């Protein structure tokens, strides 16, 4: 078959590489006789050496070709390449030794063969390593002659820290030069990692005199607790150092980031908790091989539900979302991660009963996670009709379709704002919870109805974190409603993982509450985010208090007065059971409210909600 023009550079490169390897093999075989005879080779062996050198070179070249060394790039040499070279040289040397049994014409001294094996191995490895070092230290260095090298300190001299130090030392083009390590492990103090000394614990930086000449501190402790990360960040930022970090264990496990990707420290790193242990076998059994529906699939919680459920091998993942733009993004993300074959994106409004009836009838979801909702407190306070329609009517209609079509379970994503609500959003979510319990109590088919409450999730739309980020980027001020306001926080992946765990634990009729840890003062959150941005509170960025908005609380509650809680098999999931029965007239009252919703003023809607939810304290205009 004739070669095309594009084949010539590749074949020429292989020819040149074969010539280099042949030269190394020939030199090593020739030198092995010199070493064997103390550089005084008898005449008979000089003739033998010249006669057998072509055989030795040919056998070794065939071995190198067999392990793919002519197709590898010279400037990239690592442990797998070393193993392949070792196998090639070992196999060819064994073959040359076996030739001794074919007669004297193919025989070389055993000492010469052993020496040839060692020298040829060393020659190939030195050549490969030399080309790699040339690329890393010389060629790459020339490209960044004008780029100043940032001197950095690394906190954490374990595997993660060693990987990042190795990456920076060997690729100066990245512009970082590790000059010191800090680590809590006393056994590592005084030692070196890739030539970089481990000075002591992070607290030692305060005792160094003069202060270290570094521009950045990289925290390389993926498994460290949030408390320890917070201590180190505070220690370094107080001394004016910019702090960055490596991905957490959860980020690494997701496969979306690599171990050497550094990023700025986020507030999630400081507020996070120890990794949550889940019953992964039971969760997988819940969804594997089944059709699973997620409503509100384009939202923060809905999208993360889709990510985690798709990884559990469902038969189909039915993603229902009103916003086609948001639905497109999560569908594209799943496709790019190789999970798009099971994803079924459906543009639909949950209030459109004919459309939702069609979806249920054609796709038969067994498990429904209902995340579609209007959730922004202040916006819904001014538009209570839409909160009632979406959060109450929409939830009930989807739940009734689930029962009608024989779904196994319906899980409502609720909120801690549903407890003794002071906002329309909280009141409508509480009413949605009550309707779930009413459907369960009335025995609506074999479907298990349950709700899961949790507080604020970091990074979700409407969360204070992106708002504070934008305000800091704009130079401030950072606005906080009240100096004493507190909220519970968890990360989106953690919240969703516990929602899946709750779905496994549910028997029907329960409200699950996720253990949110300790409440966080919003003003403290604002201060930490300003410091993480390398700015000073009060000097560079001002914090301004604006007063509580209508419907907002100073603090969120965890339990309603009519609820009693019990523990579950998971320490982060609490089961709540309502002691009072469900009001038998509730359905009729709700239907009357829905029927007249657009004939009522805002205050009238809130007063009707208060009749349905006596513990609701409305803010009347």
């Amino acid at each position: 078959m004739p070669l095309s023009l594009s084949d010539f550079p590749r074949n020429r490169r292989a020819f040149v590489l074969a010539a280099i390897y042949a030269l190394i093999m020939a030199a090593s075989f020739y030198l092995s006789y010199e070493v064997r005879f103390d550089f005084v080779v008898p005449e008979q062996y000089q003739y033998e050496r010249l006669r057998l050198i072509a055989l030795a070179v040919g056998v070794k070249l065939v071995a190198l070709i067999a392990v793919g060394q002519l197709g590898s790039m010279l400037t990239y040499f690592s442990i797998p390449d070393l193993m392949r070279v070792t196998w090639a040289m070992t196999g060819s040397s064994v073959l040359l030794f076996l030739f001794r049994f074919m007669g004297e014409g193919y025989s070389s001294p055993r000492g010469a063969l052993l020496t040839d094996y060692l020298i040829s191995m060393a020659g190939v490895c030195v050549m490969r390593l030399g080309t790699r070092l040339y690329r890393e230290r010389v060629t790459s260095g020339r490209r960044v002659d004008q780029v100043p090298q940032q001197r950095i300190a690394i906190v954490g001299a374990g595997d993660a820290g060693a990987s990042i130090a190795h990456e920076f030392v060997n690729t100066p083009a990245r512009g970082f030069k590790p000059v010191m390590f800090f680590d809590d492990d006393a056994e590592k103090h005084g030692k070196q990692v890739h030539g970089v000394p481990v000075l002591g614990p992070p607290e030692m930086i305060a005792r160094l005199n003069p202060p270290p000449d570094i521009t950045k501190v990289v925290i390389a402790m993926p498994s460290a607790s949030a408390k320890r990360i917070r201590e180190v960040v505070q220690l370094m930022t107080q001394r004016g150092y910019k702090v960055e970090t490596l991905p957490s264990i959860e980020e690494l496990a997701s496969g979306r980031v690599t171990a050497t990707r550094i990023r700025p420290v986020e507030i999630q790193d400081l507020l996070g908790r120890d990794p949550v242990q889940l019953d992964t076998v039971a969760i997988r059994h819940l969804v594997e091989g089944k059709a699973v529906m997620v409503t509100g699939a384009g939202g923060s919680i809905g999208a993360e539900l889709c990510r985690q459920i798709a990884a559990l091998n469902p038969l189909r993942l039915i993603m229902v979302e009103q916003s086609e733009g948001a639905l497109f993004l999560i569908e594209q993300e799943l496709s790019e991660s190789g999970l798009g074959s099971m994803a079924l994106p459906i543009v639909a409004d949950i209030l459109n009963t004919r459309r939702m009836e069609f979806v249920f009838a054609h796709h038969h979801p067994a498990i429904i996670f209902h995340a579609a909702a209007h959730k922004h407190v202040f916006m819904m306070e001014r538009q209570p009709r839409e909160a009632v329609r979406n959060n109450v009517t929409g939830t009930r209609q989807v739940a009734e379709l689930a029962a009608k079509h024989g779904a196994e379970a319906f899980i409502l994503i609720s909120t801690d704002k549903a407890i003794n609500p002071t906002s329309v959003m909280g009141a409508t979510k509480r009413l949605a919870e009550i309707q779930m319990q009413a459907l369960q109590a009335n025995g609506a088919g074999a479907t298990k109805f349950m709700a899961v409450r949790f507080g604020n999730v970091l990074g979700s739309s409407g969360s204070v974190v992106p708002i504070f980020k934008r305000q800091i980027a704009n130079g401030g001020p950072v606005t906080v409603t009240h100096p004493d306001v507190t909220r519970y926080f968890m990360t989106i992946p953690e919240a969703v993982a516990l929602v899946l765990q709750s779905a496994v634990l549910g028997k029907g009729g329960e409200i699950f509450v996720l253990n949110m840890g300790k409440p966080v003062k919003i003003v403290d959150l604002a201060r930490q985010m300003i410091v993480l941005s390398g700015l000073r509170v009060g000097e560079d960025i001002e914090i301004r208090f604006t007063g509580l908005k209508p419907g907002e609380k100073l603090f969120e509650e965890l339990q309603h007065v009519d609820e009693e809680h019990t523990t579950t098999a998971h320490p982060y999931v609490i089961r709540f059971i309502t002691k009072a029965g469900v009001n038998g007239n509730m359905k009729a009252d709700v239907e009357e409210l829905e029927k007249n919703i657009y004939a009522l003023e805002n205050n009238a809607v809130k007063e009707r909600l208060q009749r349905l939810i006596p513990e609701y304290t409305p803010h009347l205009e």
Side-chain angles (χ1 to χ4, degrees), residues 434-572:
I434 293 173
Q435 290 184 120
M436 293 303 94
Q437 292 176 317
L439 285 168
Q440 185 70 42
N442 293 334
T447 306
K448 296 185 296 184
F449 294 95
M450 63 197 82
V452 183
R453 292 176 187 156
F454 49 86
N456 296 272
V457 285
L458 292 165
S460 66
S461 61
S463 165
V464 295
V465 172
I467 294 173
F468 286 172
K469 280 185 177 179
R470 186 183 70 250
Q471 291 175 339
I472 293 169
N474 293 334
V478 172
T479 56
V480 179
T481 55
H482 192 282
D484 296 325
V485 68
T486 62
R487 291 292 183 266
Y488 293 95
F489 286 97
M490 44 185 357
T491 65
I492 295 175
E494 181 184 20
V496 167
L498 288 172
V499 167
L500 295 175
Q501 183 70 70
S502 301
V504 170
L505 298 171
K507 304 299 182 184
E510 306 98 333
I511 296 175
F512 292 102
V513 176
L514 306 187
N515 183 343
M516 303 290 295
K518 295 181 180 179
V520 176
K521 270 193 169 186
I522 299 300
V523 68
D524 292 341
L525 185 71
R527 290 192 184 104
Q528 288 179 322
M529 291 187 64
I530 292 170
V531 170
L532 287 177
S533 301
L535 303 171
R536 290 164 295 183
V537 179
E539 297 182 31
D540 301 314
I541 298 287
E542 174 191 358
I543 294 178
R544 182 179 299 169
F545 297 105
T546 59
L548 290 173
K549 295 178 181 178
E552 288 187 328
K553 295 181 180 180
L554 268 181
F555 57 90
E556 299 295 352
E557 299 167 88
L558 295 178
Q559 182 175 355
H560 183 264
V561 65
D562 287 331
E563 292 175 337
E564 58 183 17
H565 74 275
T566 59
T567 58
T568 67
H570 196 282
Y572 279 14

Side-chain angles (χ1 to χ4, degrees), residues 565-583:
H565 74 275
T566 59
T567 58
T568 67
H570 196 282
Y572 279 14
V573 180
I574 304 169
R575 178 186 285 108
F576 281 75
I577 303 295
T578 302
K579 291 183 286 187
V582 177
N583 182 355

Side-chain angles (χ1 to χ4, degrees), residues 29-50 109 112:
F29 190 80
Y30 188 92
L31 186 58
S32 67
Y33 275 77
E34 297 290 336
V35 174
R36 165 64 180 82
F37 293 104
D38 292 332
F39 296 92
V40 183
V41 182
E43 186 175 347
Q44 69 184 76
Y45 286 107
Q46 291 182 18
Y47 172 74
E48 176 186 281
R49 172 172 59 181
L50 294 176

Side-chain angles (χ1 to χ4, degrees), residues 171-189:
T171 53
R174 296 192 64 174
F176 300 113
K177 181 180 180 181
V179 295
M180 64 187 71
F181 270 103
F182 297 100
D183 197 281
D184 290 327
D185 187 354
E187 293 185 1
K188 297 176 182 177
H189 299 169

